[in-house]
Amino acid sequence: PSQTSSKSGELNSTTPKTKTACPTNRQIGKPVDLLTVKALLALPLTQLPSEEYYFCSASDCSTVYYSAKGTSRFNEDDLREKVYQKRPDDDNVFVCYCFRYTVGCIRKEIEKTGASSVVTAITHGIQAGQCACEIRNPDGGCCLGNVRATLRRITVETNARS
């Protein structure tokens, strides 16, 4: 796990090494760095035990983060951002948290032009060192997989209406 010194006031970070099921839906969650949870939690960090945490991506589950020990569980209302995986059809939710692309802005571009420049724009931002998905994205990983899935889904929907 990555560790950041707390001597200088920085937040410690740890990434779980084991697999643990979500206490709400019993599905195995994705390990997420503690720093990601700390960055996105809209609660006092005194309410966040220094434990291993997991991300539950199931859209039909209210839990977003849960601890390996089962002592902590956080829902979307506990976070600073709405979570794309919980609301993949909500036009106002970010699918890219670093560059602030929403499902709706992707939809509008596809409906207007028949294509999207979002993947190219995000890729350029990543290459320029402007990405911070490991902290800004609630799942703690790169958003491009979610962006591409959103593009495919919206393209299919748009073509079906044509």
Side-chain angles (χ1 to χ4, degrees), residues 80-91:
R80 298 176 190 273
E81 300 279 4
K82 297 300 177 200
V83 179
Y84 166 76
Q85 289 85 345
K86 302 295 181 181
R87 303 165 178 261
D89 298 320
D90 186 332
D91 279 356

Side-chain angles (χ1 to χ4, degrees), residues 18-70:
T18 59
K19 293 181 179 181
T20 302
C22 173
T24 308
N25 69 5
R26 308 307 307 157
Q27 293 180 14
I28 299 296
K30 175 186 176 185
V32 65
D33 196 281
L34 180 59
L35 185 58
T36 305
V37 180
K38 287 179 176 180
L40 291 169
L41 198 63
L43 299 170
L45 294 181
T46 54
Q47 296 181 22
L48 181 70
S50 185
E51 299 178 27
E52 294 181 341
Y53 285 88
Y54 293 84
F55 175 78
C56 179
S57 63
S59 61
D60 61 348
C61 181
S62 62
T63 299
V64 177
Y65 297 119
Y66 60 94
S67 66
K69 294 180 182 176

